[in-house]
Amino acid sequence: MEENVSILIVEDEPRIRSGLIDFLEFHDYMVTAVEDGLEAQRAVRDHRYDLILLDLMLPKISGEDLCRQWRQNGLTTPIIMLTAKGQEREKINGLDLGADDYVTKPFSLEELLARIRAILRRTDPARSVGQRFQFGSLQVDISGLKVIVDGQEIPISKRQAMMIQTFAANPNRVISREELYEKVWGESMNEIETRTVDMHIAKLRSKIEPDPNEPTLIKTVRGVGYMYESQ
Ligand code: CA
């Protein structure tokens, strides 16, 4: 399932580094590991990774500086910071610098795996479902940004595609407006945006529901959110 997902490990402690390599390779990730900041810089310049595990205290260039630099250069690859106990302040700074998450050493590998999966799902919903799939009676073509209804192609926006993907990846589960907003817009929702979500759902329904007033694909769960009912 995790095939072709590449992870860069930047960690100078040999024991932790080799533990991470073994564990992530066991879970079928493609792993590259480097041991100092300079090597990390080079690796990121020369290759594209899906995720970076970045130790904070590193020889040559610190994880903090690397993270700041990468974000300033527009790198959007998700970064999980590995921090040692007692570096609480740095942890917060780490998130300010643009890291997506952090774990505190000693961390459990299972917990790290859960965070990796969550981040990859969040940053690329296409990982949890394919590029072309059946959604109720529709055919969805994510990369082509269209749905096919009764042989007729209807263009959809990127946001609409992400909404469909989110529902398709979570059949028969109620998705709250907050969760949907976080997945599709990539940030947490404030009160005003409740309306935004509802408006986007209405717009999406007008494209994919045979009768948008009696939705059969994306149903409203009153007071909670929305649900895709899959047969
Ligand atoms: Ca270190």
Side-chain angles (χ1 to χ4, degrees):
M1 187 174 103
E2 318 294 354
E3 272 164 41
N4 303 321
V5 177
S6 61
I7 297 183
L8 175 68
I9 300 169
V10 188
E11 171 61 77
D12 60 316
E13 280 170 67
R15 213 169 35 84
I16 299 180
R17 192 173 58 241
S18 61
L20 284 171
I21 295 171
D22 285 349
F23 181 75
L24 293 174
E25 283 185 344
F26 175 79
H27 285 280
D28 295 329
Y29 290 101
M30 294 187 327
V31 180
T32 306
V34 297
E35 49 193 275
D36 68 51
L38 216 55
E39 283 182 38
Q41 207 174 39
R42 208 170 297 137
V44 167
R45 196 185 50 213
D46 296 342
H47 301 276
R48 219 205 121 266
Y49 300 97
D50 294 303
L51 186 129
I52 301 170
L53 297 181
L54 182 62
D55 183 30
L56 195 64
M57 306 288 275
L58 287 168
K60 297 183 186 169
I61 308 172
S62 75
E64 207 173 326
D65 286 344
L66 281 173
C67 191
R68 184 187 299 119
Q69 199 183 87
W70 286 333
R71 290 301 185 236
Q72 276 169 1
N73 294 340
L75 186 82
T76 56
T77 310
I79 296 173
I80 299 180
M81 286 274 199
L82 311 176
T83 68
K85 249 194 179 144
Q87 295 178 327
E88 296 298 321
R89 213 181 61 81
E90 285 85 346
K91 228 191 281 180
I92 309 300
N93 284 346
L95 291 173
D96 284 348
L97 291 169
D100 296 82
D101 204 352
Y102 60 83
V103 291
T104 307
K105 295 177 195 171
F107 49 81
S108 109
L109 288 169
E110 292 299 333
E111 190 204 333
L112 179 66
L113 183 64
R115 302 235 183 158
I116 289 173
R117 286 179 171 158
I119 285 186
L120 291 173
R121 266 199 308 274
R122 201 163 75 210
T123 51
D124 186 2
R127 285 195 195 296
S128 43
V129 288
Q131 289 292 310
R132 258 193 114 104
F133 56 92
Q134 197 75 28
F135 185 68
S137 55
L138 311 176
Q139 266 284 116
V140 182
D141 179 351
I142 288 297
S143 46
L145 289 179
K146 62 191 175 196
V147 294
I148 298 118
V149 195
D150 300 329
Q152 197 198 344
E153 288 186 1
I154 300 170
I156 53 173
S157 70
K158 189 115 195 264
R159 283 232 157 99
Q160 288 165 346
M162 286 174 81
M163 285 201 278
I164 294 177
Q165 275 183 311
T166 304
F167 284 111
N170 297 279
N172 304 312
R173 181 166 85 73
V174 182
I175 299 181
S176 68
R177 293 186 177 85
E178 288 82 2
E179 186 182 347
L180 192 62
Y181 192 85
E182 206 176 298
K183 289 216 162 76
V184 175
W185 278 262
E187 49 194 73
S188 46
M189 188 179 88
N190 65 41
E191 259 172 60
I192 303 161
E193 278 133 12
T194 310
R195 283 282 298 148
T196 308
V197 172
D198 293 343
M199 275 158 48
H200 276 80
I201 289 282
K203 184 83 195 239
L204 178 62
R205 278 175 173 160
S206 73
K207 290 190 177 179
I208 65 172
E209 296 280 358
D211 178 1
N213 295 318
E214 294 287 338
T216 54
L217 283 168
I218 299 172
K219 296 198 167 163
T220 302
V221 182
R222 212 160 283 285
V224 193
Y226 297 97
M227 185 170 81
Y228 162 51
E229 250 178 26
S230 168
Q231 276 76 36

